[in-house]
Amino acid sequence: MSKKQTYRVCFCCRRRFKLAISEAPAEIKTLFERYSENGFMNAVHLQRFLIEVQKQEKATEAEAQAIIDSLKQLNIFHRGGLYLDGFFKYLFSDANLPLSPSLGVHHDMSLPLSHYFIYTGHNSYLTGNQLSSDCSDEPIIHALKRGVRVIELDIWPNATKDNVDVLHGRTLTTPVELIKCLRSIKQHAFDVSEYPVVITLEDHLTPNLQAKVAQMVTQTFGDTLFYPGSEVLKEFPPPESLKKRIIISTKPPKEFLQAKEPKEKEDDLQKEKALGDEEAWGKEVPSQKCGAMADYQDSEDEDDEEDDLDDEADKSNQNAAPEYRALIAIHAGKPKGGLDECLQVDPDKVRRLSLSEQQLEKAAETHGKDIVRFTQRNILRVYPKGTRITSSNYNPMIGWMHGAQMVAFNMQGHGRSLWLMQGMFKANGGCGYVKKPDFLLKTGPNNEVFDPKAVLPVKTTLKVTVYMGEGWYNDFNHTHFDQFSPPDFYARVGIAGVPADNVMRKTKTIEDSWLPSWNEEFEFPLTVPELAVFRIEVHEYDMSEKDDFAGQTCLPVSELRDGIRSVPLCSRKGDGYNTVKLLMRFEFC
């Protein structure tokens, strides 16, 4: 790297800026002095640092020596230990991440499926917006490779009524053959996780085509397909017993629904584009402190993805293909009646209930504890409201704090909401299943359950120090942020969680530097740390236009490691940059 960087201001004028060299912050230098001797840190010194500062109580001298040996490819390496530069390089390396890569799957996986949050997709076959994008197996493959465990397919008769397509019904989306989607799921279901994949089917088929689907599913998945063994399950089986199994979930077969003309209008699409969660910044996740999600467009006119299981539907079921019915392991549907009936807990069987984000918000106002009680045994799926035409998403926290297992997201709808979803499911080794906190699973002696509206005391405080960042000079074009000077970076850090814990803070802006050094400390009191996700964003300040996005990541607070850590940042889509990262310190007190 040259020592000067030149920017052209006009045809005959240039500005030159000195390129800074990445240097350890003052606190890192102080710690190095404290844990070294005569400017040199050997394995014993490093072990003490790991135990006392990084809170790695079980760190051994051998592990410390292995860290020293791992730096031998650097010119600053010394066999006996580390000088300051080597110590700083280690702290800022991928060997010192905020989540332990060796932790793997560590939650108890022997409990019923209803005891876990499950990484869930919505309309998993869409490549773009909900109105006119292509349907394909590619987004399904992409989702599975990210660890998504619930794939949704809307199945309809094809144009000649002799086969089955996947498409978003009553819209202009182009179809993809069901068999192609099934084969891709079989090929990639367990690429990153061996825990079960659930396929939720939104069924619009005649009985003869349902029989055809049953044949496709059984032939494609073979022995990996999980059969319930009885008409209904009394309790859901655990993920541990369902490794490398495919599970089918849908409502019992109903009368075929003829497709109607596309109902969404182009002006609706344009309106929602301005309100979505997929802009460069992403729409800020709305705070539940203000009640309903007022930052998003509201509409009462939306599709209900599960019709009432009334007597008329029961009559139509008599004509359903029995081989298709036999595939359904997780039964879905809404009992006839209001919320009280929908949330009724049956001691003899379990089921899946679906509510839109708006329906959940309204239900939470009056039936919050009933929802928690329902989700202790049954599965609740939450899906985006119908007006999210551009495939934007919503705040997942309202679902999680009520115990909803399947908070369904448009995985192509990049923005802050999806970043939170990606952050939550980095927990438990990224296997796509995260055990719900105990307080959502427990019932008291008088049948009392967790009250999502309760005002709770602070359980712990997360103290965060944002030291510095690096890597943008390598990963971005040198005029990407500013044509005339180096970038002006600032960071935003905060918490997404229950309403009392939601907060975002901002550092000062460091002008004209590819290596911003903020050295700022923030404290975040947490009432429910078990559900909290730590948010990090970096932006480049722009005086005349919207500030530029420069990286983000979200991390589950429950798995954050104490100490000074190297935090890699990701793109808007959640893909990791090659070298962009922050040096931060996390302390729980």
Side-chain angles (χ1 to χ4, degrees), residues 2-19 473 478-479 481-488 511-514 540-541 543:
S2 64
K3 295 183 180 180
K4 299 283 185 180
Q5 184 179 5
T6 302
Y7 287 83
R8 184 186 297 274
V9 179
C10 58
F11 291 111
C12 59
C13 183
R14 292 175 179 266
R15 299 177 72 191
R16 301 187 74 195
F17 295 88
K18 184 178 180 181
L19 284 174
Y473 188 87
H478 296 172
T479 56
F481 297 107
D482 196 316
Q483 291 286 329
F484 310 112
S485 66
D488 306 325
E511 296 182 355
D512 298 333
S513 177
W514 288 99
E540 197 271 339
Y541 175 74
M543 186 181 298

Side-chain angles (χ1 to χ4, degrees), residues 325-568:
R325 179 189 295 275
L327 297 178
I328 305 172
I330 301 176
H331 282 245
K334 289 179 182 174
K336 187 177 181 180
L339 268 177
D340 290 331
E341 289 75 16
C342 283
L343 297 173
Q344 192 69 39
V345 177
D346 189 329
D348 296 320
K349 63 180 180 180
V350 290
R351 59 189 170 92
R352 192 196 91 202
L353 172 69
S354 285
L355 297 175
S356 73
E357 56 176 287
Q358 287 174 309
Q359 290 170 336
L360 176 63
E361 287 174 19
K362 292 175 183 177
E365 288 296 315
T366 55
H367 291 70
K369 289 188 283 187
D370 293 328
I371 300 171
V372 172
R373 187 173 286 107
F374 177 85
T375 57
Q376 289 181 340
R377 272 184 46 80
N378 301 282
I379 289 176
L380 175 61
R381 176 177 170 271
V382 185
Y383 60 91
K385 59 190 177 184
T387 51
R388 294 193 178 277
I389 301 169
T390 61
S391 296
S392 62
N393 287 302
Y394 51 99
N395 189 336
M397 284 294 168
I398 189 170
W400 290 333
M401 63 189 285
H402 287 83
Q405 296 87 350
M406 296 182 179
V407 178
F409 262 34
N410 296 305
M411 295 300 163
Q412 76 279 29
H414 308 297
R416 284 191 173 102
S417 296
L418 186 57
W419 300 345
L420 291 186
M421 179 69 65
Q422 292 166 344
M424 170 64 86
F425 286 99
K426 289 174 183 173
N428 200 25
C431 74
Y433 286 80
V434 173
K435 181 181 170 295
K436 294 197 289 186
D438 287 342
F439 63 79
L440 285 172
L441 302 172
K442 288 181 178 177
T443 302
N446 299 314
N447 202 32
E448 65 268 24
V449 296
F450 173 71
D451 183 359
K453 288 186 175 182
V455 178
L456 301 173
V458 171
K459 187 177 289 187
T460 188
T461 296
L462 173 62
K463 186 161 69 173
V464 176
T465 305
V466 186
Y467 292 118
M468 61 178 296
E470 70 173 19
W472 292 280
Y473 188 87
N474 298 321
D475 287 0
F476 288 82
N477 183 287
H478 296 172
T479 56
H480 175 85
F481 297 107
D482 196 316
Q483 291 286 329
F484 310 112
S485 66
D488 306 325
F489 288 127
Y490 65 89
R492 299 178 71 235
V493 294
I495 298 292
V498 300
D501 295 346
N502 285 335
V503 65
M504 285 299 283
R505 301 282 171 76
K506 180 181 173 182
T507 68
K508 59 182 175 288
T509 300
I510 304 299
E511 296 182 355
D512 298 333
S513 177
W514 288 99
L515 293 168
S517 182
W518 296 286
N519 295 305
E520 294 189 47
E521 184 180 288
F522 304 92
E523 289 192 2
F524 302 105
L526 300 173
T527 62
V528 187
E530 298 92 339
L531 291 179
V533 176
F534 181 64
R535 300 174 53 193
I536 307 166
E537 298 177 14
V538 177
H539 297 276
E540 197 271 339
Y541 175 74
D542 193 318
M543 186 181 298
S544 59
E545 299 177 2
K546 183 181 293 186
D547 293 357
D548 293 316
F549 173 85
Q552 62 81 24
T553 195
C554 290
L555 303 167
V557 168
S558 62
E559 297 198 6
L560 272 181
R561 295 200 288 175
D562 282 88
I564 299 164
R565 303 294 175 184
S566 173
V567 182

Side-chain angles (χ1 to χ4, degrees), residues 8 14 56 106-107 128 163 225 439 481 511 569 572:
R8 184 186 297 274
R14 292 175 179 266
Q56 296 171 218
H106 58 282
H107 293 181
N163 212 330
L225 191 63
F439 63 79
F481 297 107
E511 296 182 355
L569 297 188
R572 295 186 191 95

Side-chain angles (χ1 to χ4, degrees), residues 175-354:
V176 58
E177 290 184 344
L178 172 63
I179 189 63
K180 186 175 183 181
C181 296
L182 296 179
R183 287 170 178 166
S184 292
I185 292 172
K186 178 184 180 181
Q187 184 177 353
H188 298 283
F190 308 109
D191 282 358
V192 300
S193 172
E194 61 184 353
Y195 288 95
V197 167
V198 180
I199 303 175
T200 60
L201 298 175
E202 188 177 323
D203 170 15
H204 304 272
L205 300 178
T206 54
N208 65 310
L209 288 179
Q210 289 170 351
K212 191 159 190 170
V213 168
Q215 185 180 29
M216 287 184 199
V217 169
T218 53
Q219 289 181 353
T220 302
F221 297 119
D223 292 341
T224 64
L225 191 63
F226 172 75
Y227 288 92
S230 61
E231 181 69 18
V232 292
L233 293 172
K234 187 168 184 176
E235 185 178 65
F236 291 117
E240 191 65 34
S241 71
L242 295 169
K243 285 182 176 178
K244 296 198 172 181
R245 304 299 292 272
I246 303 292
I247 304 170
I248 303 297
S249 176
T250 185
K251 49 189 174 289
K254 64 177 183 178
E255 191 174 352
F256 168 65
L257 298 178
Q258 180 66 40
K260 300 177 182 177
E261 290 300 312
K263 60 181 179 180
E264 289 90 347
K265 298 178 181 179
E266 193 64 29
D267 57 346
D268 290 335
L269 177 60
Q270 296 302 323
K271 184 177 182 182
E272 209 268 336
K273 275 183 178 178
L275 297 165
D277 191 17
E278 55 186 5
E279 299 172 346
W281 270 66
K283 185 97 174 147
E284 181 59 55
V285 171
S287 171
Q288 298 159 32
K289 293 177 183 175
C290 302
M293 300 184 188
D295 289 338
Y296 290 105
Q297 180 182 0
D298 287 323
S299 173
E300 297 300 324
D301 181 23
E302 59 182 296
D303 286 336
D304 190 347
E305 296 195 359
E306 288 180 4
D307 295 338
D308 289 353
L309 298 181
D310 55 20
D311 295 338
E312 190 133 344
D314 288 338
K315 291 176 184 176
S316 70
N317 290 343
Q318 295 172 6
N319 299 321
E323 60 268 46
Y324 178 79
R325 179 189 295 275
L327 297 178
I328 305 172
I330 301 176
H331 282 245
K334 289 179 182 174
K336 187 177 181 180
L339 268 177
D340 290 331
E341 289 75 16
C342 283
L343 297 173
Q344 192 69 39
V345 177
D346 189 329
D348 296 320
K349 63 180 180 180
V350 290
R351 59 189 170 92
R352 192 196 91 202
L353 172 69
S354 285

